Amino acid sequence: MKSNIFCDYLRNQRELITEKMKKKLVYSTAVGALAVAMGVMVACDSEFKQETIVFDDPAYAPDTTYINPVFKPVLADPSIVRTGDGMFYAYGTEDTWNDGVHHIVAILKSDNLEDWQWVGDVFTDETKPKWGTTDAGVWAPQIVQSPNDGRYYLYYSLSTWGDPNPGIGVAVADSPEGPFEDLGKILRSNDQNINVKNSIDPFFTWTKRGNRSTYYMFWGSFNGIYVIQMQDEKTVMPGAVPQKIAWGTGGVSGFEGVYIYKHGDYYYFFGSSGTCCEGADSQYHVTVARSSNITGPYVNEKGESILTDGVYGKPFLDGDPALGFTGPGHNAEIFTDDRGRDFILYHAVDIVSGEGDGTLAPGSTATRRPLMMDEVTWVDGWPVVNADTELEGKPSNIEKISPYFSTAK
């Protein structure tokens, strides 16, 4: 009788712990293995026959795995922000999805970087910015939560293909889900004191010394990457002029999609190069340079300045048709999970599933580019994707250990 009572107790504890831990059950032919796992040997063979429960240590063991893409059909040129409640919000270039609905900067939501759901769009046909060239698209957004007022600023490119006078604008909202109010133009290629061809792909950031913040806007697409000092989140500093930090000669020579990331003693410049939108033939890829100063000079691992024509950064991420993904690039932000692992998100062309096999999305002029994610490791002061594996420097196409966030449901 005592043995049966103890077995009932043990069964109840198993159920309580299983619910609390929310871990996987692993089955085997072991007899009485639950008691062994708990450090207790009892004669409960009939209660636990054929079953072993393995409790993963939540501080170390992976909860799940993921596989690329983490969102499709498309979220090109992604940008992501994490809010105070631990949620992530992603935004991407204007595009038409498989259901035929046109999304003018789609907004996605996730609590773990891998499971995303659509929650709305930044603009509608009625609210879409109209200050640019006729029929201009809203491309390459960047989302930032202001260090001043806590509001969400959405920087965007307004451009057509081959636009002679594209520009960069900003919208703002109290919530990452909107509604967003367009604040209009920040700069345009033909503006006095700008004169930067193909002024798209904004990246707004700031440095802080004591109570003083200094704001910067980086931008550019294959005609050089530039930086200019900003007065605040929406206004260029009076009298400021663009400073070139990376070369570009037009076409697809040079960089676009700049992202600046502070790690240790350096600022890291992530730049995309090559053809972004040629389907399975896309040659898009990412290289990295670094500097001890946010405005440069930025150099590669050989110490060569990326201001010099023809000099790229250290190779970071490149496509591989054998893996099913080409044209990875225009990366989003890097996030560190609760176990100290870094993950970067970006887009790529999926040539296996048919989502990006070279065909164009209905009503769109760009190849489908779904959202991707891979782990970043820092080796000798440089970021490496999927380090020390056969996939080093490449998009992963196999199950990988997911990032861990204690706030994820």
Side-chain angles (χ1 to χ4, degrees), residues 58-234:
Y60 302 101
D63 295 299
T64 58
T65 60
Y66 77 94
I67 190 166
N68 279 318
V70 292
F71 181 82
K72 59 184 183 179
V74 61
L75 197 76
D77 311 321
S79 178
I80 300 170
V81 67
R82 191 181 192 190
T83 57
D85 61 358
M87 298 302 298
F88 297 92
Y89 289 86
Y91 308 74
T93 283
E94 172 179 351
D95 218 322
T96 302
W97 290 8
N98 284 356
D99 57 6
V101 176
H102 193 70
H103 296 272
I104 307 176
V105 185
I107 307 171
L108 310 181
K109 180 179 181 179
S110 172
D111 64 358
N112 58 13
L113 290 179
E114 60 179 291
D115 300 309
W116 295 92
Q117 61 177 339
W118 174 77
V119 295
D121 297 331
V122 171
F123 299 116
T124 65
D125 288 336
E126 291 72 28
T127 63
K128 179 178 178 177
K130 305 292 195 302
W131 53 260
T133 302
T134 302
D135 296 327
V138 183
W139 301 346
Q142 183 217 2
I143 187 70
V144 170
Q145 186 173 19
S146 168
N148 297 318
D149 60 18
R151 303 179 80 194
Y152 294 88
Y153 287 82
L154 193 288
Y155 299 90
Y156 60 86
S157 312
L158 196 60
S159 180
T160 62
W161 289 103
D163 198 326
N165 191 24
I168 291 167
V170 63
V172 67
D174 293 328
S175 163
E177 296 187 19
F180 282 86
E181 175 192 359
D182 184 35
L183 301 181
K185 183 193 77 170
I186 293 177
L187 60 84
R188 206 166 174 186
S189 285
N190 293 348
D191 285 350
Q192 187 177 7
N193 296 329
I194 297 298
N195 296 318
V196 173
K197 292 182 179 179
N198 213 11
S199 284
I200 62 173
D201 293 2
F203 181 79
F204 176 89
T205 190
W206 61 90
T207 58
K208 194 173 183 66
R209 175 177 290 184
N211 294 325
R212 181 185 176 187
S213 296
T214 306
Y215 307 99
Y216 302 93
M217 175 68 74
F218 293 80
W219 81 98
S221 177
F222 298 122
N223 288 273
I225 299 298
Y226 290 82
V227 61
I228 198 166
Q229 191 170 340
M230 299 284 287
Q231 179 173 293
D232 52 28
E233 293 90 347
K234 55 188 180 297

Side-chain angles (χ1 to χ4, degrees), residues 263 266 268 270 288 290 300-301 314-316 334 342 375-389 392-393:
H263 179 80
Y266 293 99
Y268 289 82
F270 292 74
V288 180
R290 71 184 188 185
N300 61 20
E301 81 281 18
K314 185 180 187 296
F316 174 70
I334 292 174
D342 287 337
E375 187 171 0
V376 173
T377 304
W378 298 86
V379 180
D380 298 326
W382 292 92
V384 179
V385 170
N386 298 319
D388 297 324
T389 72
E392 183 168 308

